[in-house]
């Protein structure tokens, strides 16, 4: 993984790195490896994750078909004084 530091702005580069690590699931995996997970807990977690994925997929499919309203767009104010 690579993050470019622009204009010696290390804080911004760290924020970008944290966001990339979060997206890749590194923090979740580190937390999971801190303690032993019983096989029964692992099965339950994986089953719950699979259900969550299938529900998300079904929701997106229903939105594409027009059965559900599309999610509201988030308005992000970008820009700033430099």
């Amino acid at each position: 993984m690579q993050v470019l530091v622009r204009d010696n702005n290390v804080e911004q580069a760290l924020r970008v790195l944290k966001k990339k690590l979060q997206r890749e699931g590194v923090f979740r995996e580190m937390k999971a490896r801190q303690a032993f997970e019983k096989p029964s807990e692992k099965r339950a977690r994986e089953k719950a994750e699979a259900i969550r994925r299938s529900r998300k997929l079904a929701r997106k499919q229903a939105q594409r078909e027009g059965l559900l309203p599309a999610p509201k767009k988030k308005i992000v104010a970008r820009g700033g004084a430099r």
Side-chain angles (χ1 to χ4, degrees), residues 36-46:
F36 178 74
E37 185 178 27
K38 290 175 22 180
S40 60
E41 291 174 347
K42 183 177 179 182
R43 275 194 305 272
R45 178 182 50 81
E46 288 177 347

Side-chain angles (χ1 to χ4, degrees), residues 18-35:
K18 254 177 121 172
K19 192 180 288 187
K20 284 186 177 187
L21 290 172
Q22 181 78 32
R23 202 173 300 135
E24 291 291 322
V26 174
F27 293 124
R28 189 181 314 121
E29 186 175 339
M30 282 174 26
K31 186 178 178 186
R33 287 176 185 242
Q34 282 179 351

Side-chain angles (χ1 to χ4, degrees):
M1 194 169 295
Q2 188 177 31
V3 176
L4 299 175
V5 180
R6 294 188 213 131
D7 300 328
N8 278 340
N9 195 345
V10 178
E11 289 81 21
Q12 182 185 12
L14 279 173
R15 279 197 307 268
V16 171
L17 176 64
K18 254 177 121 172
K19 192 180 288 187
K20 284 186 177 187
L21 290 172
Q22 181 78 32
R23 202 173 300 135
E24 291 291 322
V26 174
F27 293 124
R28 189 181 314 121
E29 186 175 339
M30 282 174 26
K31 186 178 178 186
R33 287 176 185 242
Q34 282 179 351
F36 178 74
E37 185 178 27
K38 290 175 22 180
S40 60
E41 291 174 347
K42 183 177 179 182
R43 275 194 305 272
R45 178 182 50 81
E46 288 177 347
K47 186 175 181 180
E49 287 173 357
I51 290 170
R52 204 173 301 123
R53 277 194 309 271
S54 66
R55 281 184 183 159
K56 184 176 181 180
L57 197 119
R59 186 172 56 245
K60 286 187 177 261
Q61 184 70 31
Q63 286 173 352
R64 275 196 294 270
E65 293 173 359
L67 301 174
L68 287 176
K72 292 190 169 83
K73 301 274 183 181
K74 292 182 181 176
I75 299 173
V76 178
R78 288 226 166 175
R82 283 192 179 194

